PDB file of all heavy atoms in Angstrom:
ATOM      1  N   ALA B 227       2.003  15.009  49.526  1.00 98.00           N
ATOM      2  CA  ALA B 227       2.031  14.130  48.372  1.00 98.00           C
ATOM      3  C   ALA B 227       3.535  13.619  48.199  1.00 98.00           C
ATOM      4  O   ALA B 227       4.398  13.928  49.000  1.00 98.00           O
ATOM      5  CB  ALA B 227       1.758  15.136  47.109  1.00 98.00           C
ATOM      6  N   GLY B 228       3.700  12.740  47.260  1.00 97.00           N
ATOM      7  CA  GLY B 228       5.003  12.157  46.906  1.00 97.00           C
ATOM      8  C   GLY B 228       5.831  12.930  45.891  1.00 97.00           C
ATOM      9  O   GLY B 228       6.830  12.414  45.470  1.00 97.00           O
ATOM     10  N   ASP B 229       5.428  14.080  45.451  1.00 96.00           N
ATOM     11  CA  ASP B 229       6.102  14.877  44.534  1.00 96.00           C
ATOM     12  C   ASP B 229       6.041  16.306  44.834  1.00 96.00           C
ATOM     13  O   ASP B 229       5.042  17.007  44.871  1.00 96.00           O
ATOM     14  CB  ASP B 229       5.356  14.692  43.148  1.00 96.00           C
ATOM     15  CG  ASP B 229       5.947  13.473  42.433  1.00 96.00           C
ATOM     16  OD1 ASP B 229       7.133  13.639  41.878  1.00 96.00           O
ATOM     17  OD2 ASP B 229       5.360  12.510  42.293  1.00 96.00           O
ATOM     18  N   ASN B 230       7.286  16.961  44.957  1.00 96.00           N
ATOM     19  CA  ASN B 230       7.318  18.335  45.398  1.00 96.00           C
ATOM     20  C   ASN B 230       6.911  19.313  44.282  1.00 96.00           C
ATOM     21  O   ASN B 230       6.498  20.451  44.545  1.00 96.00           O
ATOM     22  CB  ASN B 230       8.789  18.695  45.894  1.00 96.00           C
ATOM     23  CG  ASN B 230       8.938  18.345  47.370  1.00 96.00           C
ATOM     24  OD1 ASN B 230       7.999  18.453  48.179  1.00 96.00           O
ATOM     25  ND2 ASN B 230      10.104  17.831  47.695  1.00 96.00           N
ATOM     26  N   SER B 231       7.062  18.890  42.979  1.00 95.00           N
ATOM     27  CA  SER B 231       6.667  19.700  41.976  1.00 95.00           C
ATOM     28  C   SER B 231       5.266  20.032  41.875  1.00 95.00           C
ATOM     29  O   SER B 231       4.734  21.088  41.762  1.00 95.00           O
ATOM     30  CB  SER B 231       7.181  19.222  40.619  1.00 95.00           C
ATOM     31  OG  SER B 231       6.925  17.793  40.440  1.00 95.00           O
ATOM     32  N   CYS B 232       4.411  18.870  42.067  1.00 96.00           N
ATOM     33  CA  CYS B 232       2.906  19.121  42.124  1.00 96.00           C
ATOM     34  C   CYS B 232       2.640  19.945  43.453  1.00 96.00           C
ATOM     35  O   CYS B 232       1.660  20.795  43.329  1.00 96.00           O
ATOM     36  CB  CYS B 232       2.150  17.775  42.352  1.00 96.00           C
ATOM     37  SG  CYS B 232       2.609  16.628  40.848  1.00 96.00           S
ATOM     38  N   LEU B 233       3.339  19.741  44.581  1.00 97.00           N
ATOM     39  CA  LEU B 233       3.034  20.354  45.708  1.00 97.00           C
ATOM     40  C   LEU B 233       3.446  21.815  45.573  1.00 97.00           C
ATOM     41  O   LEU B 233       2.714  22.720  46.124  1.00 97.00           O
ATOM     42  CB  LEU B 233       3.857  19.830  46.801  1.00 97.00           C
ATOM     43  CG  LEU B 233       3.282  18.512  47.537  1.00 97.00           C
ATOM     44  CD1 LEU B 233       4.263  18.038  48.511  1.00 97.00           C
ATOM     45  CD2 LEU B 233       1.882  18.705  48.137  1.00 97.00           C
ATOM     46  N   ALA B 234       4.396  22.330  44.752  1.00 95.00           N
ATOM     47  CA  ALA B 234       4.790  23.643  44.639  1.00 95.00           C
ATOM     48  C   ALA B 234       3.671  24.277  43.821  1.00 95.00           C
ATOM     49  O   ALA B 234       3.328  25.542  43.987  1.00 95.00           O
ATOM     50  CB  ALA B 234       6.067  23.671  43.826  1.00 95.00           C
ATOM     51  N   HIS B 235       3.120  23.645  42.804  1.00 96.00           N
ATOM     52  CA  HIS B 235       1.980  24.180  42.142  1.00 96.00           C
ATOM     53  C   HIS B 235       0.793  24.438  42.880  1.00 96.00           C
ATOM     54  O   HIS B 235       0.112  25.522  42.968  1.00 96.00           O
ATOM     55  CB  HIS B 235       1.727  23.177  41.012  1.00 96.00           C
ATOM     56  CG  HIS B 235       0.335  23.477  40.172  1.00 96.00           C
ATOM     57  ND1 HIS B 235       0.155  24.534  39.363  1.00 96.00           N
ATOM     58  CD2 HIS B 235      -0.760  22.613  40.167  1.00 96.00           C
ATOM     59  CE1 HIS B 235      -1.148  24.445  38.854  1.00 96.00           C
ATOM     60  NE2 HIS B 235      -1.608  23.307  39.354  1.00 96.00           N
ATOM     61  N   ILE B 236       0.296  23.382  43.605  1.00 97.00           N
ATOM     62  CA  ILE B 236      -0.958  23.585  44.481  1.00 97.00           C
ATOM     63  C   ILE B 236      -0.725  24.455  45.627  1.00 97.00           C
ATOM     64  O   ILE B 236      -1.415  25.247  45.999  1.00 97.00           O
ATOM     65  CB  ILE B 236      -1.361  22.085  45.079  1.00 97.00           C
ATOM     66  CG1 ILE B 236      -1.475  21.096  43.937  1.00 97.00           C
ATOM     67  CG2 ILE B 236      -2.721  22.238  45.753  1.00 97.00           C
ATOM     68  CD1 ILE B 236      -1.643  19.656  44.432  1.00 97.00           C
ATOM     69  N   GLY B 237       0.540  24.355  46.209  1.00 95.00           N
ATOM     70  CA  GLY B 237       0.989  25.207  47.228  1.00 95.00           C
ATOM     71  C   GLY B 237       1.033  26.554  46.871  1.00 95.00           C
ATOM     72  O   GLY B 237       0.752  27.542  47.576  1.00 95.00           O
ATOM     73  N   GLY B 238       1.487  26.840  45.575  1.00 94.00           N
ATOM     74  CA  GLY B 238       1.520  28.175  45.030  1.00 94.00           C
ATOM     75  C   GLY B 238       0.107  28.877  44.951  1.00 94.00           C
ATOM     76  O   GLY B 238       0.020  30.128  45.284  1.00 94.00           O
ATOM     77  N   ILE B 239      -0.820  28.066  44.771  1.00 96.00           N
ATOM     78  CA  ILE B 239      -2.250  28.476  44.722  1.00 96.00           C
ATOM     79  C   ILE B 239      -2.713  28.860  46.044  1.00 96.00           C
ATOM     80  O   ILE B 239      -3.293  29.754  46.388  1.00 96.00           O
ATOM     81  CB  ILE B 239      -3.005  27.651  43.716  1.00 96.00           C
ATOM     82  CG1 ILE B 239      -2.633  27.718  42.391  1.00 96.00           C
ATOM     83  CG2 ILE B 239      -4.588  28.052  43.956  1.00 96.00           C
ATOM     84  CD1 ILE B 239      -3.201  26.666  41.499  1.00 96.00           C
ATOM     85  N   LEU B 240      -2.498  27.855  46.873  1.00 95.00           N
ATOM     86  CA  LEU B 240      -2.872  27.875  48.318  1.00 95.00           C
ATOM     87  C   LEU B 240      -2.292  29.117  48.989  1.00 95.00           C
ATOM     88  O   LEU B 240      -2.916  29.830  49.748  1.00 95.00           O
ATOM     89  CB  LEU B 240      -2.549  26.609  48.992  1.00 95.00           C
ATOM     90  CG  LEU B 240      -3.457  25.288  48.755  1.00 95.00           C
ATOM     91  CD1 LEU B 240      -2.760  24.104  49.368  1.00 95.00           C
ATOM     92  CD2 LEU B 240      -4.805  25.432  49.261  1.00 95.00           C
ATOM     93  N   GLY B 241      -0.999  29.363  48.639  1.00 93.00           N
ATOM     94  CA  GLY B 241      -0.300  30.478  49.193  1.00 93.00           C
ATOM     95  C   GLY B 241      -0.850  31.746  48.630  1.00 93.00           C
ATOM     96  O   GLY B 241      -1.050  32.756  49.581  1.00 93.00           O
TER      97      GLY B 241
END
Side-chain angles (χ1 to χ4, degrees):
Chain B
D229 270 289
N230 277 324
S231 44
C232 303
L233 284 175
H235 164 72
I236 311 170
I239 293 171
L240 287 168

